[in-house]
Amino acid sequence: MIGLLAYIGDVQERWQPDDVAAAPASPVQSRSATPSASPSTAAPGPSPATKPKQRNGAFQLTAQPLDARTVEVAVTPPTGLAAGRDYWFFVEIDWRDGNTDYYPREKLTGATQTLVIDIPPDATQQADRTGRVYALTTDQSREAAVRLQRQRTSKEDDFFADAPGATASQATGLPFGP
């Protein structure tokens, strides 16, 4: 079972979100949905002097620590955002036991922006945290707004147990901790 979950996570990480702009509005996608596999070769990363190429449909994320509990994330939107979708930045917390929680943290404007993401003083720094952008339907976006409000108040039912919407970026590590 653990091997299967690791494989699914690995496949999901390799999935390229180029089709988000063409994605029709649909119900929440299950994490167990398997994208069609196609062979690919790893391209070398951009040199520090060059800007990464902007792919249609994929947000670009860059994170840097500000302190042990605060990270700054630069968000660069792609061209051609899908109509009828709202884009949200999520913090994904992998508890290292097969569970991952998806916390909505910011509704994106569609413009380049910098987000300051922090974790509460009582939150463990032992969990793996990544950031990712999801394209949500109107109903999913409303639910994300409710859960974001709960993070500020009751902290009950304030995250999604499964990945919401369609992936609209690669994951970026959030370097919290010492």
Side-chain angles (χ1 to χ4, degrees):
M1 182 66 167
I2 294 173
L4 175 62
L5 291 174
Y7 171 74
I8 291 170
D10 186 45
V11 168
Q12 185 178 14
E13 285 298 317
R14 287 183 280 159
W15 179 64
Q16 300 298 315
D18 291 336
D19 296 330
V20 170
S26 63
V28 175
Q29 293 179 343
S30 168
R31 280 182 52 114
S32 61
T34 306
S36 61
S38 63
S40 63
T41 57
S47 69
T50 63
K51 210 174 181 181
K53 285 188 178 179
Q54 188 78 5
R55 290 186 319 198
N56 189 26
F59 282 77
Q60 300 297 314
L61 306 175
T62 306
Q64 66 179 14
L66 295 179
D67 61 41
R69 296 193 169 276
T70 310
V71 173
E72 183 178 80
V73 180
V75 179
T76 304
T79 56
L81 295 176
R85 295 288 181 139
D86 290 330
Y87 294 88
W88 281 77
F89 179 83
F90 275 74
V91 173
E92 302 174 354
I93 302 177
D94 180 351
W95 296 104
R96 301 181 185 167
D97 64 359
N99 281 329
T100 301
D101 296 338
Y102 301 85
Y103 287 85
R105 293 306 293 272
E106 184 90 23
K107 185 175 179 181
L108 302 175
T109 64
T112 298
Q113 58 194 111
T114 301
L115 310 176
V116 176
I117 306 298
D118 59 359
I119 57 175
D122 60 342
T124 181
Q125 292 178 321
Q126 303 308 312
D128 295 325
R129 289 176 173 85
T130 56
R132 189 184 313 256
V133 176
Y134 286 93
L136 305 181
T137 64
T138 301
D139 289 341
Q140 292 166 331
S141 183
R142 275 194 288 266
E143 184 61 29
V146 167
R147 292 173 193 258
L148 180 61
Q149 182 60 38
R150 288 180 190 154
Q151 289 173 31
R152 297 177 182 136
T153 58
S154 69
K155 297 192 187 272
E156 291 186 33
D157 194 25
D158 62 346
F159 63 91
F160 290 87
D162 295 309
T167 305
S169 76
Q170 293 293 319
T172 187
L174 299 177
F176 293 108

